[in-house]
């Protein structure tokens, strides 16, 4: 009997296991976009219930629910079309979903997913259709973001939250890229390294970024190039140059190659100086990948760039002042300038998965720059007062300063930078661990020989009696051979609490530089909170950030008699900044169109500052850590479909900065109290064959001071506000749905053909980026504005294959 009851007990127990196992079922899967890229923060819910989950960084989700005949799942995320699927729910199931964006492929899309760090993802489309004097660039889009300022349309450089251009770091495919070092004006600058035609994704942070990014104090721009899945190509030609690219895939091999040519000759012709301009900027890039297996891949990125600027000035006439105080500055030139900047870049990487959740990689790269700057320019100038009350006339005027000058330079620089890096990532549970280590070798040799002679009314300046002296001079013959070591480790943790999603990112970065034997520790952390059922994300980030010296910051000028000589300061320290960033996104709809309002307030406490001045795009550092300061402000951006189906945005920033140099307090050289930018798109109602895009900037003028002096010692004034509007129109000549493509073989070879017209500086504003300083025999100085480009028209043709 006892054995009978035990047998019955075990039979009941065993038969009950399937019932226990069926008390709950699991539905899981992966959510991707149309490019097969995982999408995180997608809300996955069971229709009619409160049962909700969210996808993680790999796009994976899992729901646990009671068995039923069927359930309807909803997948939703701002910026994507909602997806509903009804499936049987009697047993465990796997359901993978692809979500489609709500905007057109050719339109710039940004902010379509929840942002959990201060790094924003920006997806760009066909930049060739956008109005831009560089022919379409990533930097021109970055310049319209909140907290970012650009006050020189000829330059790709931008200032972020009141700091210098040198404090922005740029990565392409995980490798830091550089620009030429001797460039002093936007006219010389040429092409940016980033080729927008080859770009797949853009990530940008204006502060408080993760430990995986290097030692800079202001911002990070992280670019990833495409790996084409099929053949694609495009050719663009305009009055400002041309570009072309071709991408393809064959089995496990993919390649994308781009060529660019740029000339700003017609644009420079709108400036006050009448001259023979010969700017020729050319580059070629290629990115190739080869899959060794389903888990391992190798890649190569190569770039060759030649930026040549030739300049033969003839004359200049600039009128400036106010209605009641008009001055006229005339110069007659003799001489020439010839600059050449040759850069070479190559990187090789191998990466793969050792385990399904463990990925490792190795990257080696080399950058070389050969730079030459030579000029001998003489000028005879006449500065007159055109006011009738002063005894002047509309033609001649009363002389204020008459003289001549000569500028001479024979500058060269050779730079070679090589590094090797290891990266890795490991996902376990709700953690995503990343690490990296880099060894970098730097060799830089410069030879700077430049001087300026000025003469006013027959007397050399400065006037030293019977002694003839140069006005300014600078000499440098320095070499640096140094090694940098750096590494980081960071973890991202996802926490679900009562339907709320919390992301915590924390990491630490360390580096050492052999030149000054400095060792740095940089802890960084951020947290993001996504309330359950609320269309908002809240973020907070903080950390210690360093600006490690690189070539310019540790150059100190000392006097040897009447000569200025550059020496390298081996006691230089890295500039330091502690970031506090609090912000968030609020997503809402108006007339069934999606919008997102992003706001951030920040405070940056800075120490060990190296003071600097800015003239055009040339930054001159004091070469010593003698300053401290702060920057604080508010950044806001309203993004959305102001016109149905196309995205636009408006950015607004308020900022206050201050530096303390030996007790003297002044704003930073790139301080701007306000900055307003806009990118707006529209199309012809009822037809998208005619499109329009507009970029606008309105920002506070930068502080200015005489050259070769520090404005914190002698005072400063502000340039007028920078105001600029560029507008572009594009007409679709041939589209994918045009019937002629089926009847004509030539037309069938094209995907799209666009004809575009741009109007740069639509309202013909006289913007000032720098000044030419005139001194009379009494040592009185006059600041003559160097106006930037005027109104200019451009015609372009874009063909996509």
């Amino acid at each position: 009997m006892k054995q009978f009851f035990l047998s019955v007990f075990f039979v009941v127990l065993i038969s009950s296991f399937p019932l226990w196992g069926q008390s709950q079922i699991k539905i899981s899967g992966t959510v991707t976009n149309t490019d097969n890229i995982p999408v995180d923060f997608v809300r996955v819910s069971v229709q009619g219930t409160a049962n909700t989950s969210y996808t993680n960084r790999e796009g994976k989700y899992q729901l646990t629910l009671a068995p039923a005949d069927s359930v309807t799942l909803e997948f939703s995320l701002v910026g994507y079309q909602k997806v509903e699927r009804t499936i049987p729910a009697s047993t465990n199931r796997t359901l993978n979903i692809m979500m489609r964006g709500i905007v057109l492929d050719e339109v710039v899309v940004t902010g379509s997913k929840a942002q959990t760090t201060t790094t924003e993802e920006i997806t760009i489309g066909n930049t060739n259709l956008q109005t831009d004097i560089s022919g379409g660039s990533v930097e021109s889009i970055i310049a319209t973001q909140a907290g970012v300022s650009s006050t020189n349309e000829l330059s790709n450089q931008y200032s972020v939250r009141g700091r210098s251009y040198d404090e922005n770091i740029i990565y392409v495919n995980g490798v830091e890229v550089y620009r030429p070092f001797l460039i002093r004006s936007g006219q010389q600058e040429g092409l940016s390294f980033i080729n927008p035609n080859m770009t797949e994704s853009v990530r940008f942070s204006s502060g408080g970024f993760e430990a995986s990014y290097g030692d800079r104090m202001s911002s990070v721009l992280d670019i990833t190039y495409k790996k084409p899945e099929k053949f694609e190509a495009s050719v663009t030609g305009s009055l400002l140059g041309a570009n072309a690219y071709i991408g393809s895939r064959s089995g496990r091999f993919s390649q994308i190659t781009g060529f660019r040519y740029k000339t700003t000759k017609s644009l420079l012709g709108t400036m006050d100086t009448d001259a023979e301009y010969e700017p020729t900027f050319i580059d070629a890039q290629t990115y190739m990948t080869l899959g060794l297996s389903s888990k391992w891949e190798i890649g190569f990125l190569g770039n060759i760039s030649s930026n040549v600027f030739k300049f033969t000035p003839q004359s200049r006439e600039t009128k400036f002042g106010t209605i009641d105080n008009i001055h006229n500055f005339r110069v007659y030139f003799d001489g020439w300038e010839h600059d050449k900047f040759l850069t070479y870049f190559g990187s090789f990487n191998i990466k793969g998965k050792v385990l399904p959740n463990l990925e490792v990689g190795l990257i080696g790269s080399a950058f070389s720059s050969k730079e030459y700057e030579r000029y001998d320019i003489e000028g005879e100038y006449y500065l007159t007062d055109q006011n009738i009350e002063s005894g002047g006339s509309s033609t001649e005027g009363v002389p204020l300063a008459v003289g001549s000058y000569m500028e001479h330079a024979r500058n060269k620089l050779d730079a070679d930078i090589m590094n090797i890096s290891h990266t890795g990532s490991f996902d376990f549970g709700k953690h995503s661990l990343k690490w990296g280590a880099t060894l970098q070798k730097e060799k830089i040799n410069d030879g700077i020989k430049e001087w300026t002679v000025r003469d006013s009314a027959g007397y050399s300046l400065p006037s030293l009696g019977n002694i003839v002296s140069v006005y300014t001079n600078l000499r440098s013959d320095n070499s640096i051979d140094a090694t940098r070591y750096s590494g980081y480790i960071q973890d991202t943790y996802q926490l679900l609490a009562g339907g709320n999603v919390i992301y915590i990112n924390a990491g630490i970065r360390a580096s050492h530089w052999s030149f000054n034997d400095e060792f740095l520790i940089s802890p960084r952390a951020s947290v993001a909170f996504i309330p359950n059922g609320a269309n908002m994300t809240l973020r907070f980030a903080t950390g210690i950030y360093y600006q490690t010296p690189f070539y310019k910051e540790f150059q100190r000028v000392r006097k040897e008699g009447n000569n200025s000589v550059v020496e390298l300061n081996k006691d230089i320290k890295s500039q330091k900044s502690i970031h506090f960033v609090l912000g968030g996104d609020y997503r809402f709809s108006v007339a069934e169109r999606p919008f997102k309002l992003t706001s951030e307030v920040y405070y940056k406490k800075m120490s060990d500052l190296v003071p600097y001045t800015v003239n055009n795009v040339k930054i001159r550092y004091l070469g010593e850590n003698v300053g401290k300061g702060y920057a604080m402000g508010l950044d806001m951006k309203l993004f959305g479909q102001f016109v149905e189906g196309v995205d636009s945005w408006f950015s607004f920033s308020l900022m206050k900065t201050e530096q303390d140099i030996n007790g003297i307090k002044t704003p930073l050289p790139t301080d701007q109290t306000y900055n307003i930018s806009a990118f707006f798109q529209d199309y012809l109602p009822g037809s998208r064959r005619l499109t329009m895009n507009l970029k606008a900037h309105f920002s506070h003028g930068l502080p200015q001071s005489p050259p070769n002096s520090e404005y914190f010692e002698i005072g400063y004034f502000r340039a007028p506000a920078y105001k600029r509007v560029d507008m572009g129109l594009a007409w679709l000549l041939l589209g994918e749905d045009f019937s002629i493509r089926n009847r004509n073989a030539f037309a069938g070879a094209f995907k799209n053909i666009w004809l575009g017209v741009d109007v740069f500086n639509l309202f013909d504003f006289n913007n000032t980026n720098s000044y030419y300083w005139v001194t009379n025999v009494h040592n009185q100085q006059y600041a003559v504005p160097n106006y930037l480009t005027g109104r200019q028209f451009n015609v372009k043709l874009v063909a996509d294959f």
Side-chain angles (χ1 to χ4, degrees):
M1 182 66 66
K2 181 178 180 181
Q3 291 180 343
F4 173 76
F5 283 113
L6 286 175
S7 299
V8 173
F9 173 76
F10 279 115
V11 169
V12 174
L13 182 65
I14 292 173
S15 63
S16 68
F17 276 126
L19 296 176
W20 291 353
Q22 292 181 5
S23 62
Q24 294 287 311
I25 67 166
K26 294 181 180 179
I27 300 177
S28 60
T30 303
V31 179
T32 60
N33 61 17
T34 53
D35 295 323
N36 203 34
I37 298 174
V39 182
D40 56 356
F41 300 110
V42 176
R43 187 173 186 266
V44 185
S45 59
V46 180
Q47 193 176 74
T49 73
N51 193 353
T52 300
S53 180
Y54 290 85
T55 58
N56 62 16
R57 295 169 65 91
E58 289 74 43
K60 298 183 182 300
Y61 73 93
Q62 179 175 290
L63 284 170
T64 302
L65 63 155
D69 291 337
S70 65
V71 294
T72 299
L73 301 185
E74 294 181 352
F75 300 80
S76 59
L77 176 65
V78 173
Y80 289 89
Q81 299 175 13
K82 181 185 289 187
V83 177
E84 293 186 1
R85 291 287 187 273
T86 300
I87 60 172
S90 56
T91 59
N92 295 339
R93 297 187 64 89
T94 298
L95 177 63
N96 297 325
I97 296 294
M98 182 182 70
M99 300 188 70
R100 298 181 181 275
I102 59 175
V103 294
L104 301 176
D105 290 340
E106 65 267 24
V107 176
V108 174
V109 184
T110 184
S112 59
K113 57 188 293 186
Q115 180 183 335
T116 59
T117 67
T118 62
T119 304
E120 178 182 7
E121 293 193 10
I122 303 172
T123 305
I124 64 172
N126 193 345
T127 56
N128 291 319
L129 297 179
Q130 298 171 16
T131 178
D132 183 11
I133 68 170
S134 64
S137 68
V138 172
E139 289 88 346
S140 67
I141 292 293
I142 297 300
T144 63
Q145 304 302 306
V148 183
S149 174
S150 175
T151 57
N152 187 341
E153 62 272 9
L154 292 171
S155 173
N156 292 308
Q157 303 305 305
Y158 50 87
S159 172
V160 178
R161 291 178 174 172
R163 293 301 297 172
S164 79
Y165 319 128
D166 293 335
E167 296 177 16
N168 306 315
I169 192 169
I170 299 177
Y171 291 94
V172 175
N173 290 357
V175 180
E176 183 179 357
V177 297
Y178 302 87
R179 68 186 184 101
F181 301 98
L182 290 183
I183 286 178
R184 57 186 169 81
S185 70
Q187 295 141 302
Q188 303 170 306
E189 192 166 312
L191 291 162
S192 160
F193 182 96
I194 305 168
N195 188 329
N197 290 326
M198 299 171 63
T199 299
E200 179 180 66
S201 67
V202 177
R203 290 168 54 84
F204 178 75
S205 173
S206 54
F209 39 88
E210 307 99 287
S212 58
Y213 295 120
D215 295 311
R216 292 291 189 275
M217 287 207 306
S218 288
S219 75
V220 168
L221 178 59
D222 188 0
I223 304 294
T224 301
Y225 276 178
K226 298 177 184 177
K227 293 188 288 186
E229 293 297 326
K230 58 183 179 179
F231 176 83
E232 58 181 80
S234 178
V235 176
T236 301
S238 76
L239 300 179
L240 297 178
N243 67 72
Y245 87 93
I246 183 170
S248 62
R249 173 174 287 274
S250 177
R252 291 179 175 176
F253 175 77
S254 73
Q255 69 81 31
I256 186 166
T257 302
F259 303 91
R260 291 182 294 173
Y261 163 71
K262 174 183 172 183
T263 176
T264 53
K265 184 174 182 178
S266 61
L267 197 65
L268 296 175
T270 65
M271 303 175 73
D272 286 347
T273 299
D274 184 18
E276 294 181 11
Y277 294 98
E278 295 183 54
T280 305
F281 311 124
I282 302 172
D283 92 331
Q285 290 190 48
T286 186
Y287 176 49
M288 297 180 286
T289 64
L290 175 64
L292 302 178
S293 68
S294 60
K295 297 181 179 180
W296 288 89
E297 178 185 88
I298 59 174
F300 171 78
L301 173 63
N303 170 269
I304 299 176
S305 176
S306 171
N307 295 326
V308 177
F309 179 73
K310 296 181 180 180
F311 174 57
T312 305
Q314 298 169 355
S315 64
R316 167 183 174 173
E317 183 172 10
T318 301
K319 292 185 178 181
F320 63 100
T322 63
I323 295 178
D324 299 326
N325 187 21
I326 304 174
H327 291 158
N328 186 55
F329 181 64
R330 285 180 295 160
V331 186
Y332 300 97
F333 295 103
D334 185 24
W336 54 271
E337 177 176 349
H338 186 186
D339 308 320
K340 181 182 289 188
F341 307 94
L342 304 175
T343 60
Y344 310 90
F345 172 86
S347 73
F348 177 84
N349 75 282
I350 180 170
K351 63 180 180 180
K353 289 190 174 182
V354 180
L355 298 172
N357 58 344
L358 173 61
E359 182 174 302
V360 295
L362 190 66
I363 305 175
S365 70
F367 170 83
S368 180
S369 183
K370 311 295 181 185
E371 306 177 24
Y372 308 90
E373 183 184 44
R374 297 174 294 166
Y375 54 81
D376 281 303
I377 297 177
E378 296 181 68
E380 295 183 359
Y381 62 83
Y382 304 85
L383 178 63
T384 58
D385 186 343
Q386 300 291 108
N387 300 297
I388 303 299
E389 292 80 0
S390 303
S393 67
S394 60
T395 56
E396 297 297 331
V398 176
L400 296 176
V402 178
S404 62
Y405 68 89
M406 181 174 182
E407 296 178 340
H408 166 91
R410 294 293 185 272
N411 300 333
K412 66 176 182 178
L413 181 143
D414 294 333
D416 295 293
I417 303 169
M418 297 162 287
N419 67 51
I420 184 168
S421 301
H422 161 69
T423 60
S425 64
F426 180 62
D427 297 327
F428 58 100
K430 296 181 180 180
H431 294 268
S432 180
L433 191 67
K434 293 178 63 177
W435 66 88
T438 300
L439 168 63
Q440 179 165 297
K441 190 73 174 177
E442 304 159 358
K443 294 183 179 180
I444 302 176
N445 301 292
D446 71 1
I448 308 297
K449 299 176 183 178
E450 58 184 52
W451 48 260
T452 301
V453 174
R454 290 195 181 182
D455 174 281
S456 180
Y459 293 90
S460 65
L461 298 175
S463 181
L464 301 174
N466 295 325
I467 300 175
V468 178
S469 176
V470 296
Y471 186 70
T472 63
N473 68 87
L474 188 67
R475 182 182 181 89
S476 176
D477 186 11
N478 290 301
S479 299
I480 179 174
D481 187 347
T483 304
R484 294 181 196 262
Y485 306 89
S486 62
Y488 73 90
I489 184 170
Q490 70 176 42
D491 181 36
T492 302
Y493 178 70
Q494 181 182 8
L495 174 65
L496 297 176
N500 303 312
V501 182
I502 301 174
Y503 269 75
I504 302 172
N505 177 281
I508 189 168
R509 187 176 188 89
S511 64
H512 177 267
W513 191 33
S514 64
F515 180 80
N516 61 355
D517 197 28
E518 183 181 38
F519 182 76
L520 303 173
I521 296 291
S522 174
R524 308 172 189 181
S526 66
V527 59
F529 178 69
I530 306 176
N532 183 26
N535 291 323
M536 68 172 59
T537 304
L538 303 176
R539 296 183 299 271
F540 174 74
T542 186
I544 300 175
Y545 297 82
Y546 292 94
Q547 178 74 18
T548 57
F550 193 91
Y551 178 64
K552 295 179 182 179
E553 291 93 331
F554 55 93
Q555 291 186 346
R556 180 171 55 191
V557 179
R558 73 172 191 275
K559 285 290 187 179
E560 292 184 358
N562 292 325
N563 297 317
S564 298
V565 179
V566 175
E567 66 177 5
L568 304 183
N569 180 12
K570 287 202 169 187
D571 295 325
I572 196 75
K573 294 189 294 185
S574 296
Q575 301 177 83
K576 181 180 178 181
S577 178
I578 303 177
H579 292 196
F580 300 94
V581 183
L582 177 64
D585 305 322
Y586 175 63
R587 295 173 291 276
F588 60 97
S589 296
V590 176
E592 297 185 352
R593 300 177 193 168
F595 287 86
K596 184 177 76 168
L597 177 63
T598 299
S599 302
E600 287 188 348
V601 292
Y602 62 90
Y603 179 82
K604 299 194 292 187
K605 181 181 180 181
M606 295 172 282
S607 58
D608 292 326
L609 294 182
V610 180
Y612 64 91
T613 57
V614 181
N615 183 19
N616 203 301
V617 298
K618 184 176 183 178
I619 299 177
R620 176 70 69 189
Y621 290 89
L622 187 63
E624 296 180 348
N625 303 96
V626 295
K628 60 182 179 180
Y630 68 86
M632 59 187 296
L634 167 68
D635 293 334
M636 302 181 70
K637 184 175 79 169
L638 179 61
F639 164 88
Q641 292 188 15
F642 296 89
V643 176
E644 185 178 2
V646 291
D647 294 341
S648 305
W649 60 84
F650 296 86
S651 301
F652 173 74
S653 298
L654 292 174
M655 179 175 63
K656 176 177 173 56
T657 72
E658 183 179 272
Q659 62 179 352
D660 186 333
I661 313 297
N662 298 324
I664 301 176
K665 297 181 179 180
T666 64
L668 292 166
T670 41
D671 172 82
Q672 292 176 299
T673 304
Y674 59 87
N675 183 25
I676 303 172
S677 301
F679 179 73
F680 183 78
Q681 298 184 111
D682 199 354
Y683 55 86
L684 186 68
S687 172
R688 299 195 179 185
R689 290 188 65 182
L690 179 62
T691 65
M692 184 275 291
N693 68 91
L694 179 146
K695 293 177 183 174
H697 299 275
F698 178 52
S699 57
H700 200 194
L702 297 175
Q704 301 286 337
S705 66
N708 304 301
S709 62
E710 322 308 331
Y711 75 72
F712 47 84
E713 294 178 350
I714 64 174
Y716 68 95
F717 68 97
R718 284 190 181 270
Y722 182 82
K723 306 179 292 291
R724 185 177 178 90
V725 177
D726 296 333
M727 185 179 73
L729 299 172
W731 176 259
L732 182 63
L733 299 177
L734 178 67
E736 290 185 90
D737 57 348
F738 282 36
S739 60
I740 191 175
R741 297 181 71 251
N742 299 321
R743 304 192 307 269
N744 185 288
F746 178 77
F750 296 93
K751 179 181 178 182
N752 297 303
I753 299 180
W754 293 85
L755 176 65
V757 176
D758 297 319
V759 185
F760 302 126
N761 198 356
L762 179 65
F763 300 108
D764 202 23
F765 292 124
N766 282 330
N767 288 309
T768 303
N769 180 260
S770 62
Y771 289 83
Y772 183 82
W773 292 82
V774 175
T775 307
N776 63 18
V777 70
H778 304 294
N779 214 30
Q780 183 177 1
Q781 291 185 313
Y782 297 89
V784 181
N786 294 319
Y787 292 129
L788 292 167
T789 59
R791 183 188 294 122
Q792 177 72 12
F793 293 89
N794 181 46
V795 179
K796 59 188 176 185
L797 188 68
V798 181
D800 300 322
F801 298 89

